[in-house]
Amino acid sequence: MSPSDRSYDVIVVGGGPAGSSTAALVTAQGRRVLLLEKERFPRFRIGESFMPATWWVFDKLGVVDKLMAGRFTRKHSVQFYLKDGRPTRPFYFSDVDPHESSVTWQVDRGEFDSLLLDHAKERGVEVRQGVAVQQVLFEGARAVGVRAEGGGGPFEVRAPVVVDASGQAGLLSRALGLRRIDPNLRNAAVFTRFEGALRDPGIDAGATLVIHTRNAASWFWYIPLAGDVVSVGVVGPIEYIIGSRRADPQAILDEEIALCPALQPRLAGARQVEWVRVLRDFTYISRRVAGDGWLMVGDAFGFLDPIYSSGVLLALHGGMLASASIDEAFRAGDFSGERLGAHGPRFLEGMEAIRRLVYAFYAPDFHFKKFLDRFPECRAPLTRVLMGDVYRFPVDGLYRSMDQVLELPGYKPLKLGDEPL
């Protein structure tokens, strides 16, 4: 039986964390959900490090036990290294909240995404992999279904609600011209994995490290994974990382490692086990989160610079908030953009709290130690943001203090609508 032969309440385009979580939560409301994913899992994805606040969505989904039983590395903290190689004091998440949610995971995304998609299927979502959605179907301004190809040929399937979780491909945002790129956060990442790299002892063994290069033009992530593997990548303005030198990604990575004194001892004796990949890490959001019969979640709606590993957090929380809006839409029999996008301002509030700290990270001459020396009372709320705990705790006090010592050139708060970023 093809999907076009059945009746669905919701069609989800994309099986990543945003799509899988949205689909599972909507199915739990008693709705019939079809999820279409163009790739076959497991697949490679970058974004291995989680913020601790993902735990609350994992708990709601019912996957905490599966994550605990997996072979994923436990993450207790994040630590920053200055351009001269000196480390700051680690930000231990349990110092702020001793709850089990304060210890999170470093994962292989291929394994993790498969776990989440399989869980959605177990919960009753109809999952079709190897099916590429080519177009969202509209009647007037209202989305009514999708046209897709796979599993034997092209087909159309309809539903009152279409959820675009197509990731950075942005099926709807591109088709409707909704995407806005942040002109101040146009970065690129060059990355690979090493085996046998140095790990710190004890609870620091799984810490995410953020390491500046000597010229402060770029920074490295250092993420310990299972199997004695470490994910290593360098991030910087695309004009610097790619535009000003040879196009060979391996040469770019080698040159940047040579500029990073704190990283070199960690990689001494390590063996590179994957080829070098390159990604554009442009920050962007869409002008709208929803319209009549459709809404966007995860990277399909917006993406933040990877400095704080916020991608999966925003995908999961966006999916959780969107599922509540979808439930209310069915209860009211109202599938307008206003109803389906009711969660948009709340979601954007958390995204903006993290984005503001992204801007602070890239501000010239700003670093956390200097700020906390002056405002030691801000260590707890700053740690909350680094945990991604931006939907349960207010962070206004942190930014009032930050405003006293920091200007953010070009910064504008995020808003829905046509205003440029």
Side-chain angles (χ1 to χ4, degrees), residues 50-59 104 312-313 316-317 387:
F50 292 166
M51 286 178 141
T54 53
W55 187 93
W56 300 99
V57 188
F58 292 145
D59 185 51
T104 188
V312 172
L313 171 90
L316 294 173
H317 273 271
M387 294 169 68

Side-chain angles (χ1 to χ4, degrees), residues 32-97:
R32 186 186 293 274
V33 179
L34 173 67
L35 186 151
L36 303 175
E37 166 56 50
K38 68 179 179 179
E39 298 184 74
R40 293 193 178 274
F41 286 26
R43 48 145 198 207
F44 176 82
R45 279 292 182 275
I46 195 66
E48 304 100 337
S49 186
F50 292 166
M51 286 178 141
T54 53
W55 187 93
W56 300 99
V57 188
F58 292 145
D59 185 51
K60 188 175 180 66
L61 287 167
V63 297
V64 170
D65 289 345
K66 292 181 179 180
L67 288 164
M68 292 290 289
R71 65 188 197 105
F72 305 130
T73 301
R74 303 307 306 275
K75 170 185 172 183
H76 293 258
S77 64
V78 61
Q79 186 174 22
F80 297 85
Y81 281 72
L82 306 179
K83 65 181 181 179
D84 62 5
R86 288 180 298 139
T88 64
R89 175 183 160 194
F91 289 89
Y92 291 110
F93 309 130
S94 59
D95 285 350
V96 172
D97 187 351

Side-chain angles (χ1 to χ4, degrees), residues 292-315:
D292 294 348
W294 63 266
L295 67 157
M296 295 183 286
V297 292
D299 288 356
F301 168 72
F303 174 79
L304 277 185
D305 184 277
I307 174 59
Y308 302 123
S309 304
S310 60
V312 172
L313 171 90
L314 294 172

Side-chain angles (χ1 to χ4, degrees), residues 155-168:
F155 63 89
E156 293 184 1
V157 59
R158 298 193 168 220
V161 178
V162 176
V163 178
D164 182 4
S166 61
Q168 296 197 17

Side-chain angles (χ1 to χ4, degrees), residues 164 166-181 280 282 284 286-287 294 296 299-301:
D164 182 4
S166 61
Q168 296 197 17
L171 182 68
L172 276 171
S173 66
R174 293 183 187 276
L176 301 177
L178 298 176
R179 183 167 293 185
R180 297 173 293 170
I181 293 176
R280 295 195 314 171
F282 288 9
Y284 62 84
S286 298
R287 292 179 172 84
W294 63 266
M296 295 183 286
D299 288 356
F301 168 72

Side-chain angles (χ1 to χ4, degrees), residues 10 29 58 124 202 223 244 334 349 406:
V10 178
Q29 299 162 2
F58 292 145
I223 299 172
S244 62
D334 174 10
E349 182 180 329
L406 178 64

Side-chain angles (χ1 to χ4, degrees), residues 2 10 21 45 74 113 118 142 159 170 175 221 227 231 276 294 297 352 369 388 391-392 405 418:
S2 73
V10 178
S21 59
R45 279 292 182 275
R74 303 307 306 275
D113 287 10
D118 289 345
R142 180 176 298 276
W221 74 67
S231 173
V276 178
W294 63 266
V297 292
E352 173 60 16
K369 182 181 184 304
Y391 291 102
R392 298 193 310 139
V405 296
D418 293 329

Side-chain angles (χ1 to χ4, degrees), residues 5 41 99 121 142 171 199 222 247 251 343 361 386 392:
D5 296 325
F41 286 26
H99 189 268
K121 188 174 181 179
R142 180 176 298 276
L171 182 68
R199 294 179 186 235
Y222 191 87
H343 65 284
F361 176 83
L386 295 174
R392 298 193 310 139

